[in-house]
Amino acid sequence: MTEAPLISVVMPCFNAEDLLPRGIASVFNQTLSHLELIVVNDGSNDGSADILNAITDPRLKVVHQKNSGVCRARNKALSMAKGQFIAFLDADDYWEPECLSKLYQALATDSAAVLAYCGWQNVGLPGGAGKPFVPLNYETPTKPTDLFENCLWPIHATLTRRFAIEEAGGFDERILTSEDYLLWLKICTQYPIALVPVVLAYYQHHDGPQASDNVAKTAINHWLAQQLYIDENPQFAAALGKTQLRVLMHGGLLRRGYDCYWERNLEAARVIFKWVMKQHYGSLRDWKYMLPSLLPYAWHLKLIEILDPSS
């Protein structure tokens, strides 16, 4: 009988032919090699399928399906996973060779922890921007609130016990981004987690489409993930209180709107500001900035030029 893999690596793939070989290599070059890699080719129309079909490593399992989105692709792979632990790696990202080993060791050392997370770094940004980043240690008395505000690790900087993902119901297919954030909220507010304070994962920025490209959609989906979480966990909302809940949700969205506004990404700022106004949130000063979003774009832009000629 073939021994079950210790770790199942889940990789959705859509038109990633340029970076897919590096992503797969970073899995098979892990120092912890007792794993399987499940790649769901989500309707790619480039050479991704040919690359996958040419690989002979028995640890690779490939599923070809019509394009259904990253949540369904990951959920499909999860339904096939045999490992006790689950790691996620998008086709265009990659790991240090000891990534899984160090994350696994953290969970082996702390049997109560269900998820280990590590530092990460953006690569491929203009001018070499993207400093190494190690998230904070969330295991504090304020962990539920801190996580509800934001979760500062990407999906591929984690290793999770499979039972916890199954218990949480996998990825919620109602949202297109922040799906991993919602999953971590469900898991990490219920169980201990462990920080591995070194950079082991890399997020690749490139010219192709990325989920984070649409700033407004990403910000609103973060808000929607928070809303879905409190819908399923009303006791959390009650414990937090209406005022703090509004600050964390609507206030957090408003801050993202301001970030876009001051960066002069006016189109994104307008979308976010309109969403915040629907929640009847903000001070009089905030509404002074938000209300012009109801004007036609050209009028809004002209108003900014009049009020701030240096913009």
Side-chain angles (χ1 to χ4, degrees):
M1 180 180 293
T2 304
E3 185 180 5
L6 179 67
I7 296 174
S8 294
V9 179
V10 168
M11 179 183 286
C13 173
F14 177 71
N15 288 351
E17 62 178 356
D18 291 338
L19 296 171
L20 178 61
R22 184 187 64 182
I24 291 175
S26 83
V27 175
F28 290 150
N29 290 336
Q30 289 294 298
T31 56
L32 195 163
S33 60
H34 187 27
L35 56 81
E36 65 177 354
L37 171 60
I38 306 172
V39 180
V40 178
N41 177 28
D42 192 36
S44 297
N45 52 29
D46 64 355
S48 295
D50 293 335
I51 292 171
L52 292 168
N53 291 335
I55 297 173
T56 59
D57 193 306
R59 294 174 295 175
L60 175 65
K61 296 179 176 63
V62 179
V63 178
H64 299 287
Q65 66 178 33
K66 66 178 182 180
N67 184 252
S68 303
V70 68
C71 287
R72 288 189 179 181
R74 291 193 186 117
N75 283 338
K76 175 64 177 179
L78 286 171
S79 72
M80 302 168 56
K82 296 179 180 179
Q84 301 173 44
F85 300 88
I86 303 292
F88 299 97
L89 184 67
D90 288 350
D92 48 0
D93 300 326
Y94 61 100
W95 290 323
E96 290 284 355
E98 69 273 19
C99 179
L100 294 183
S101 176
K102 289 187 174 181
L103 291 171
Y104 170 73
Q105 191 57 47
L107 294 177
T109 301
D110 184 356
S111 60
V114 302
L115 179 145
Y117 63 104
C118 66
W120 56 284
Q121 184 174 2
N122 288 316
V123 295
L125 291 171
K131 295 180 180 179
F133 177 79
V134 175
L136 57 87
N137 180 5
Y138 282 93
E139 276 304 324
T140 69
T142 60
K143 180 175 80 168
T145 303
D146 293 339
L147 284 170
F148 186 76
E149 183 174 15
N150 207 354
C151 172
L152 297 177
W153 67 74
I155 190 168
H156 63 298
T158 62
L159 181 66
T160 309
R161 299 186 193 274
R162 189 177 76 185
F163 85 85
I165 295 174
E166 292 174 342
E167 190 177 272
F171 292 95
D172 193 316
E173 298 177 6
R174 291 175 289 180
I175 51 177
L176 299 178
T177 63
S178 293
E179 73 289 342
D180 52 332
Y181 163 64
L182 178 56
L183 180 62
W184 306 144
L185 267 180
K186 293 178 180 179
I187 292 172
C188 301
T189 53
Q190 299 298 315
Y191 295 102
I193 59 179
L195 169 64
V196 178
V198 292
V199 171
L200 299 170
Y202 297 90
Y203 183 88
Q204 177 71 50
H205 285 261
H206 51 81
D207 294 333
Q210 290 182 284
S212 58
D213 282 348
N214 191 321
V215 178
K217 184 182 294 184
T218 299
I220 290 170
N221 276 326
H222 183 92
W223 185 95
L224 289 171
Q226 291 175 317
Q227 186 63 56
L228 288 170
Y229 179 75
I230 63 173
D231 287 346
E232 296 176 5
N233 297 273
Q235 73 285 356
F236 173 81
L240 205 56
K242 289 184 179 180
T243 299
Q244 190 174 9
L245 190 64
R246 286 174 61 81
V247 169
L248 291 175
M249 289 185 64
H250 313 330
L253 186 59
L254 177 59
R255 286 194 299 274
R256 291 176 173 87
Y258 274 130
D259 288 343
C260 294
Y261 182 87
W262 295 119
E263 292 169 1
R264 289 302 184 250
N265 184 351
L266 188 57
E267 291 184 356
R270 284 165 56 86
V271 172
I272 295 171
F273 284 160
K274 289 175 185 177
W275 195 277
V276 174
M277 286 189 287
K278 287 180 182 179
Q279 315 313 316
H280 307 289
Y281 185 83
S283 66
L284 287 175
R285 179 182 178 277
D286 295 325
W287 280 77
K288 181 186 76 172
Y289 283 97
M290 292 192 294
L291 276 172
S293 299
L294 301 177
L295 297 171
Y297 179 84
W299 294 12
H300 191 177
L301 189 60
K302 186 65 176 178
L303 180 62
I304 292 174
E305 292 173 351
I306 293 171
L307 296 177
D308 184 8
S310 65
S311 64

